[in-house]
Amino acid sequence: MDKKQERKVIHLQIGGDHYYYGSIASLYEDFDEDSLGFSYFKVKNNLGRLGAMQNEKCVIRQGILRAKAGNRGRSRNKS
């Protein structure tokens, strides 16, 4: 049976533009508090619990990226 990998993904929607990040910290490397309308700490402390945060400037959502587990780079057991 194939195992699936799950990773957290942060989805940012500003107007008609969509951006995807692997962490809240990486989101704040590209955008600042003034452009998002939320402080880093407000998002960090509330997004996981709420699942989504929205204001007049943007929508930030947290979701799960599901991917098939790969075997690249893994050594196989040789009997």
Side-chain angles (χ1 to χ4, degrees), residues 74-79:
R74 296 184 185 165
S75 58
R76 295 180 182 173
N77 292 334
K78 295 181 181 180
S79 301

Side-chain angles (χ1 to χ4, degrees), residues 9-75:
V9 64
I10 307 300
H11 172 232
L12 170 65
Q13 180 180 353
I14 296 181
D17 296 325
H18 299 264
Y19 304 91
Y20 300 89
Y21 293 91
S23 68
I24 295 167
S26 62
L27 166 69
Y28 277 86
E29 287 180 2
D30 291 345
F31 295 93
D32 62 11
E33 181 177 341
D34 291 333
S35 61
L36 297 178
F38 293 113
S39 72
Y40 168 80
F41 295 103
K42 187 171 203 168
V43 174
K44 183 175 179 181
N45 291 330
N46 294 297
L47 186 60
R49 181 174 46 84
L50 299 173
M53 298 174 70
Q54 182 174 353
N55 62 20
E56 64 281 348
K57 294 183 178 186
C58 71
V59 180
I60 304 173
R61 296 180 184 94
Q62 179 174 307
I64 299 294
L65 176 66
R66 292 180 175 93
K68 181 178 176 183
N71 289 324
R72 291 177 293 176
R74 296 184 185 165
S75 58

